[in-house]
Amino acid sequence: MAARQMLPLARRLAAAAGPSTARARLLQPQTLPSVVLRPSTRRYAGSTSKQPSATSQFYKMFTRPIAKVLLLAVFTYQVVYWSWMKLEADEVREERDATIAELEATVGAYDKKKKEREEAGAEGKKTS
């Protein structure tokens, strides 16, 4: 008796599960998918719909300002470097000119002493 009661239960479960044959499944009305709304932007073969990474967003947003700052920094460095080298060259030139002037004064002093000795020697020969 329990087997007879189970038979209708098995039939009810099978009916609830849906048609079991392929033909019955094909004949059963199917629901159509709902209308899919497409995005307003056009997508091409290579494009994907995933969000760009935070790194790429950073570079898209800050590439030009960073490049401007780096360019300005390099320009400033070059101006300061050139100015420093100019000041160094001027200092070296002044030191060299001072040394040359000192040596010329020393040579002039030696020439003066030599001429005085020659004149003193010439006068000594005349008097003897």
Side-chain angles (χ1 to χ4, degrees):
M1 182 161 189
R4 285 187 181 179
Q5 286 178 350
M6 292 191 81
L7 185 60
L9 180 62
R11 282 187 190 160
R12 279 188 273 159
L13 287 175
S20 61
T21 64
R23 184 170 187 238
R25 275 189 242 134
L26 286 174
L27 293 175
Q28 185 180 17
Q30 296 178 355
T31 59
L32 294 175
S34 62
V35 177
V36 176
L37 297 176
R38 294 188 176 145
S40 62
T41 59
R42 192 173 223 182
R43 282 190 268 152
Y44 297 98
S47 68
T48 59
S49 63
K50 65 181 200 176
Q51 293 290 334
S53 69
T55 305
S56 67
Q57 285 295 88
F58 174 81
Y59 285 116
K60 281 182 184 176
M61 186 173 276
F62 293 110
T63 297
R64 292 188 77 172
I66 289 173
K68 287 178 184 178
V69 167
L70 289 176
L71 184 65
L72 186 61
V74 168
F75 177 73
T76 304
Y77 173 80
Q78 290 296 320
V79 167
V80 169
Y81 180 78
W82 179 81
S83 301
W84 187 270
M85 289 294 113
K86 176 86 169 111
L87 290 173
E88 286 282 329
D90 290 346
E91 184 179 346
V92 168
R93 188 176 304 117
E94 286 176 9
E95 288 176 1
R96 193 177 326 135
D97 290 344
T99 304
I100 289 172
E102 182 182 329
L103 290 174
E104 285 176 346
T106 306
V107 168
Y110 287 141
D111 278 345
K112 187 176 179 184
K113 284 183 183 180
K114 185 178 178 183
K115 285 181 184 178
E116 288 175 358
R117 285 184 189 164
E118 286 176 0
E119 288 177 6
E123 285 179 14
K125 288 182 182 178
K126 287 182 183 178
T127 53
S128 352

